[in-house]
Each structure stands twice: as C-alpha cells, then as structure tokens.
Amino acid sequence: MIDLYTWSTPNGRKVSIMLEELGLPYRVHAIDITKGEQFEPAFLAVSPNNKIPAIVDPDGPGAAPMALFESGAILIYLAEKTGRLLAAEGVARYRAIEWLMFQMGGVGPMFGQAHHFRRFAPEKAPYAIARYTNETRRLYRVLDKRLGEVSHLAGADYSVADIATYPWVARHEWQGVALAEFPNVERWYRAVGARPAVRKGYAVPGGHAVPGGHAVP
C-alpha cells in the first residue's frame, strides 16, 4: 500500500486523483500546511523540500521502498509503474510530458501566485494582482486553443497532463476567471470533473467539495 502525504491543494489533489484512476491502494497522511505540519522532521525525511504531496511506495524499483516528492515526478512514476496514463513511447508520450511540464512550469506557479495576491496577501498589491491575473488569463488562452484542437491535453487520450491541470482549473474563481470565456477549457473541465476517480480523488484528504459544475472548492 502506497503512503500518500497530502493536503487539499491542487498539487496534492493531482496524486490522489492519479491513485484513484489507477486503482492503487493507498493510505492517506494529512499534512495540515495551515498548521506548519510540513516542517515536522518526520515529513522532511520523506519530502526534503517540505512540500506536499509526497509518497512512499514500499514496492519501488527493485522491490525496495521508494520515497518521492514533487507532484509531476510522482505522476510519471505512478504512470510508469502501472503502464497507464502515459504512453510508453512515441509522440503521444512526449505530448503528455510536454503539457505536464506546461502545468508544472506555468499553470501551477502562475495560478498559485494569482491565488496568493488575489485572496491571501495581507495587503493588496495592484501591480502583482494585475501581473499574475493577466498571465493566468494568457495561460487559459493557450489551454483553450489547444483544447479546441484535441479532446485532451496530450491529444485523443486522457493522461497525466489532464490530471495535473484539472485541480488548478478547478479554482478558476479564485483566479478571477469565468470559464464561459474559454469554452474549450470549460468543455474539457466538465468532462474530466465527471470522471468517478477524479471526483473521489479530489475529495482527499476528506471533507472538501468536488467541483465540475456543482460546488466550487
């Protein structure tokens, strides 16, 4: 059974959704980042950067335990462990990795900064709010163009790229974005959000509303 160390953030939800999609058994360890639990020595031993999510797989490479942090790395690891949600070779593999990296390098950091300055910063900073909101909207335009050409981010098939991106789009209201402005993203968002594994994984570590046309987290 895989040990998942997580909290109710977009990055944390990526991994619980992935585990649900793969049907892998896992045990949840809630790391309450609002109370600083990510800085506890026991968690540092698993995640050297003091960030969730992280996993420990007792049946890692060579049948040895494997601890892993960074959500994108975890998604690739789990996909390769099971042979699912990431093509083994060819164009489909690199398209999925390409859009996964787009999420890791663009969507996550920029959407996250929009969240911070729009909702959590102790003082309003108009320049920062405009900068990160505008960049977030630019990234939505990139997503919308892509999803006007294909059904999923990597192409025809649902993949790790969709799993990584969905939890960030689920917080579109935090970003000041109305999905109706981006109809291709909205179509994709509704379809991904209707998947049973996505709905179940999104609710981890528990007690959180599941989006997709219903409650907003």
Side-chain angles (χ1 to χ4, degrees):
M1 181 175 290
I2 291 172
D3 287 288
L4 169 62
Y5 299 81
T6 191
W7 192 241
S8 54
T9 70
N11 284 335
R13 285 163 167 157
K14 295 177 194 176
V15 179
S16 50
I17 289 171
M18 183 70 169
L19 288 164
E20 290 292 340
E21 290 282 8
L22 297 174
L24 292 173
Y26 66 101
R27 177 171 40 238
V28 175
H29 304 267
I31 305 297
D32 189 341
I33 62 176
T34 70
K35 297 178 179 178
E37 291 178 2
Q38 69 272 33
F39 298 109
E40 295 292 334
F43 181 64
L44 178 63
V46 176
S47 179
N49 195 31
N50 294 113
K51 300 285 188 181
I52 63 96
I55 65 168
V56 176
D57 181 2
D59 185 27
M66 172 81 174
L68 195 64
F69 72 107
E70 282 295 329
S71 59
I74 295 169
L75 294 186
I76 292 172
Y77 171 79
L78 293 173
E80 294 188 339
K81 177 182 177 72
T82 59
R84 294 178 57 199
L85 298 173
L86 178 62
E89 59 186 8
V91 172
R93 176 180 179 82
Y94 294 107
R95 285 286 172 254
I97 292 174
E98 174 181 62
W99 286 96
L100 174 61
M101 294 303 107
F102 174 80
Q103 186 283 307
M104 297 294 296
V107 166
M110 295 300 103
F111 289 20
Q113 292 291 347
H115 294 173
H116 176 77
F117 286 105
R118 292 176 66 89
R119 291 179 63 91
F120 302 116
E123 297 180 3
K124 294 298 182 184
Y127 173 81
I129 291 171
R131 172 181 171 82
Y132 291 113
T133 299
N134 290 339
E135 178 62 5
T136 290
R137 293 182 66 82
R138 187 190 73 80
L139 293 170
Y140 270 93
R141 290 194 293 273
V142 175
L143 289 170
D144 201 62
K145 182 176 186 299
R146 174 62 175 169
L147 291 167
E149 300 165 346
V150 292
S151 58
H152 296 90
L153 287 171
D157 296 329
Y158 178 71
S159 75
V160 292
D162 302 291
I163 291 171
T165 306
Y166 173 83
W168 285 101
V169 175
R171 285 184 166 169
H172 54 274
E173 290 192 352
W174 288 24
Q175 301 144 18
V177 169
L179 285 187
E181 297 181 57
F182 304 98
N184 300 313
V185 174
E186 185 174 30
R187 182 268 309 161
W188 164 88
Y189 171 72
R190 303 301 181 202
V192 173
R195 296 176 67 92
V198 172
R199 298 183 67 78
K200 188 173 181 181
Y202 194 93
V204 173
H208 302 282
V210 180
H214 301 284
V216 176

